[in-house]
Amino acid sequence: MEEYEKAIRERLSKDRMRHVLAVRDCAAELAALHGVEQRDAAVAGLLHDYARDIPADQMLSMARARGLVSCSVEEKVPLLLHGPLGAQLIKEDLGIDNPQVMEAVALHTLGRPAMGRLAQLIYIADLIAPGRDFPSVERLRKIARDDLDRALLECFASTIGYCLQKFKLIHPQTIDAWNYYVVRK
Ligand SMILES: [Fe+2]
């Protein structure tokens, strides 16, 4: 774990590093509460933003080279690729091949229908970890302790609502995830 922390510290700004450490701890706590493997949660939390500080043009070309670009929204907002690209890079750079951890890193920004438990948990932890500050964050923190499925839906609502309010593009994968989990509720 220390080796991973060193590797990501070299890639991220101070503020971003503070964020990933907060997500690591939040994810480990949620994992303990919900019966998810705690070490996997901590590793995925720590590494979820591994590719986050790569400049947009480089992000796009690195993702293209790995066949990770699947949608025109990603070409317009290359930042959205930092999840899938990060999952690939932790494999290439750090030798991490745990499929749950890779899935969690890959999906932490966009989500997807039928996410694994760890991926759900990291998606939520990224949004509610200490340092995040938006009107409903305390409510979301409480829901996340009680009910992970409910929290996931609330987190999608929060993310999509934010995009609508700010006139930002919404990735179709996030809409698919929303529809999937609403039907399942
Ligand atoms: Fe991220």
Side-chain angles (χ1 to χ4, degrees), residues 41-53:
V43 170
L46 176 67
L47 296 177
H48 77 282
D49 268 347
Y50 190 80
R52 177 64 177 73
D53 284 351

Side-chain angles (χ1 to χ4, degrees), residues 2-148:
E2 254 174 55
E3 167 203 349
Y4 299 157
E5 192 176 325
K6 186 167 173 279
I8 193 161
R9 198 177 287 280
E10 282 167 10
R11 303 178 61 94
L12 299 184
S13 70
K14 256 202 168 127
D15 281 352
R16 189 90 58 206
M17 192 62 205
R18 198 172 308 132
H19 165 67
V20 300
L21 292 175
V23 173
R24 176 194 66 187
D25 295 344
C26 177
E29 265 175 50
L30 287 178
L33 283 172
H34 295 290
V36 173
E37 175 56 53
Q38 242 181 311
R39 187 187 143 82
D40 290 350
V43 170
L46 176 67
L47 296 177
H48 77 282
D49 268 347
Y50 190 80
R52 177 64 177 73
D53 284 351
I54 297 173
D57 52 339
Q58 210 180 327
M59 185 96 74
L60 193 53
S61 62
M62 289 175 80
R64 273 212 185 99
R66 290 162 177 80
L68 298 172
V69 180
S70 60
C71 166
S72 63
V73 172
E74 292 158 2
E75 282 162 15
K76 296 190 179 76
V77 192
L79 183 62
L80 295 175
L81 290 162
H82 80 272
L85 182 60
Q88 190 56 41
L89 292 181
I90 61 170
K91 186 177 191 184
E92 291 173 23
D93 296 353
L94 308 174
I96 291 175
D97 58 1
N98 177 319
Q100 278 87 39
V101 171
M102 289 179 67
E103 186 203 29
V105 173
L107 299 184
H108 84 267
T109 308
L110 298 179
R112 194 176 62 197
M115 297 160 77
R117 211 60 176 153
L118 182 61
Q120 298 179 355
L121 193 148
I122 296 297
Y123 187 92
I124 295 164
D126 185 27
L127 218 72
I128 65 168
R132 293 294 198 193
D133 187 19
F134 51 94
S136 59
V137 71
E138 274 310 329
R139 195 176 64 86
L140 280 182
R141 284 177 181 139
K142 185 181 173 337
I143 296 169
R145 285 193 291 272
D146 298 339
D147 182 345
L148 219 50

